[in-house]
Amino acid sequence: MESAVLLIVFNRPLPTKAVFDALREARPPRLYVAADGARPGRADDAENCRAVRELVRQVDWPCALLTLFRDENLGCKRGVSGAIDWFFEHEEEGIILEDDCLPVTGFFPYCDELLARFRDDARIAQICGSTFVRPDEDEPSYRYTKYADIWGWATWRRSWTLRDMEMKDWPAWRDAGGLERLAGSTPAFVDYWTKIFDAQHEGKIDTWDYQWMFTCWRHRLLSVMPSRSQIWNIGWGEDATHTVAGAPAYVRPAEALRFPLRHNDEVRIDPAIEREIARRRYSISAQTEMGLQLKRLPVMGTLGLSLAKWFRDKLRRAG
């Protein structure tokens, strides 16, 4: 492979080892490893963080290894975004993996090829490693989407420099109808993402990926999404930061892509695919649309909410 890789780790030796073994097989020429520090008051963190750092030092192929090992715990927002900042201080482009994103073999050549193909295409923000819709045997190897998924991804410095981690542009963009102008926007879509972005802007969520999604939408950038997932998300469980429950139904199994890649020269969004992603990944569907409209009816007391629930349940039973 040709691309540099940033591996973001913390305190989970087992999934980290699986991802590191995949990197050993792929043999990236440059490997950057960023590790957040142990959380205060968590006795198990110190030992697990130490084990993870020892593991990722075991590079036994021709490779430049660079490390950013934090002494303090920065959390998801500052820790991950700071790691990506550090990566792009040194690289113009590259692949980003977290410790729970296990790539299949084809993920690396897929990223190599598409990083080069879209290097100078300012319409494209990133290359996704995961997908949330079923593949079509006759379709190209990838599609275009407004959703900037980060379960294994690749991007360029030119994209990351646009980041707005504090979402300072959100209130003005929201009030100017930014969400309403996005392709495939619906009232339920606007309602869902307004709540998320409001909470993020107010500092109620310790993460970085909602800000990145906002950045891509703010600049009307598209992402490239593979027709078949190239990543197994192995981070579901009690030791995860956010994904503590079992894997939800929208998680697609990783599958091999066929090479050579079948390129998709028409850079446009497929509305049907966008609706499917919204429904499967974010539960934004005709049912939620109906429920939202019913909630807004000028009905006194709790009748409006009761009607919304009745219609939602009826639609769900009808499939």
Side-chain angles (χ1 to χ4, degrees), residues 16-64:
T16 300
K17 183 179 187 308
V19 176
F20 188 79
D21 286 346
L23 287 167
R24 176 180 281 124
E25 183 178 347
R27 300 165 67 90
R30 296 178 304 286
L31 177 62
Y32 295 74
V33 182
D36 204 0
R39 292 167 292 186
R42 293 290 298 267
D44 55 334
D45 264 11
E47 176 59 27
N48 286 331
C49 288
R50 184 195 62 77
V52 164
R53 296 178 186 200
E54 287 185 2
L55 190 159
V56 297
R57 287 191 179 99
Q58 298 172 16
V59 172
D60 54 7
W61 67 92
C63 174

Side-chain angles (χ1 to χ4, degrees), residues 164 169-170 173 182 213-221:
D164 182 3
D169 291 341
W170 162 243
W173 190 76
L182 291 176
M213 187 85 81
F214 165 69
T215 294
C216 293
W217 291 353
R218 166 74 177 80
H219 294 277
R220 302 187 72 83
L221 301 178

Side-chain angles (χ1 to χ4, degrees), residues 232-247:
W232 291 99
N233 189 311
I234 57 175
W236 306 96
E238 293 180 357
D239 61 344
T241 301
H242 294 123
T243 53
V244 294

Side-chain angles (χ1 to χ4, degrees), residues 19-318:
V19 176
F20 188 79
D21 286 346
L23 287 167
R24 176 180 281 124
E25 183 178 347
R27 300 165 67 90
R30 296 178 304 286
L31 177 62
Y32 295 74
V33 182
D36 204 0
R39 292 167 292 186
R42 293 290 298 267
D44 55 334
D45 264 11
E47 176 59 27
N48 286 331
C49 288
R50 184 195 62 77
V52 164
R53 296 178 186 200
E54 287 185 2
L55 190 159
V56 297
R57 287 191 179 99
Q58 298 172 16
V59 172
D60 54 7
W61 67 92
C63 174
L65 174 65
L66 296 90
T67 59
L68 178 64
F69 292 166
R70 305 285 192 183
D71 293 327
E72 62 176 318
N73 183 266
L74 300 182
C76 287
K77 177 184 174 181
R78 294 170 57 212
V80 176
S81 65
I84 302 172
D85 290 346
W86 168 68
F87 183 52
F88 285 118
E89 288 171 5
H90 302 278
E91 299 287 341
E92 290 285 345
E93 62 188 37
I95 297 169
I96 302 167
L97 289 168
E98 296 187 57
D99 59 7
D100 57 1
C101 295
L102 178 61
V104 298
T105 301
F107 170 73
F108 298 103
Y110 157 80
C111 287
D112 275 350
E113 185 167 344
L114 296 188
L115 280 171
R117 184 177 182 86
F118 295 104
R119 183 173 292 144
D120 301 315
D121 191 332
R123 298 170 295 178
I124 305 301
Q126 69 167 67
I127 312 300
C128 302
S130 299
T131 190
F132 303 102
V133 296
R134 293 177 178 84
D136 182 337
E137 293 295 333
D138 296 325
E139 68 184 358
S141 300
Y142 54 87
R143 56 178 65 95
Y144 302 96
T145 177
K146 65 176 174 288
Y147 292 102
D149 184 74
I150 46 77
W151 287 355
W153 59 301
T155 191
W156 305 266
R157 181 190 292 169
R158 64 163 174 82
S159 297
W160 187 249
T161 55
L162 300 173
R163 68 198 180 284
D164 182 3
M165 284 296 121
E166 303 308 319
M167 294 191 70
K168 60 184 183 298
D169 291 341
W170 162 243
W173 190 76
R174 174 198 61 204
D175 295 345
L179 286 172
E180 287 87 348
R181 292 195 299 271
L182 291 176
S185 177
T186 66
F189 172 90
V190 172
D191 182 70
Y192 179 94
W193 286 105
T194 296
K195 291 175 181 175
I196 291 289
F197 290 161
D198 278 349
Q200 187 65 65
H201 180 259
E202 294 164 10
K204 296 178 179 178
I205 309 174
D206 179 25
T207 192
W208 64 277
D209 50 337
Y210 288 141
Q211 298 96 307
W212 177 238
M213 187 85 81
F214 165 69
T215 294
C216 293
W217 291 353
R218 166 74 177 80
H219 294 277
R220 302 187 72 83
L221 301 178
L222 300 180
S223 295
V224 174
M225 182 172 283
S227 59
R228 300 170 187 273
S229 281
Q230 298 301 287
I231 298 290
W232 291 99
N233 189 311
I234 57 175
W236 306 96
E238 293 180 357
D239 61 344
T241 301
H242 294 123
T243 53
V244 294
Y250 62 73
V251 177
R252 298 291 304 166
E255 303 177 73
L257 279 173
R258 297 174 183 171
F259 287 86
L261 296 179
R262 297 174 59 189
H263 289 289
N264 186 347
D265 294 324
E266 189 175 2
V267 181
R268 69 175 186 85
I269 285 177
D270 183 334
I273 294 294
E274 295 296 281
R275 287 193 297 270
E276 183 69 4
I277 295 172
R279 183 183 68 81
R280 289 181 59 84
R281 179 72 170 89
Y282 302 106
S283 300
I284 302 171
S285 64
Q287 295 165 333
T288 56
E289 202 73 56
M290 175 69 76
L292 180 65
Q293 296 303 320
L294 287 169
K295 287 179 187 179
R296 292 176 175 175
L297 286 175
V299 181
M300 297 300 292
T302 60
L303 181 56
L305 291 174
S306 298
L307 280 171
K309 183 178 185 302
W310 182 81
F311 270 101
R312 185 177 66 246
D313 293 344
K314 184 178 178 65
L315 286 167
R316 184 179 294 119
R317 288 193 297 270

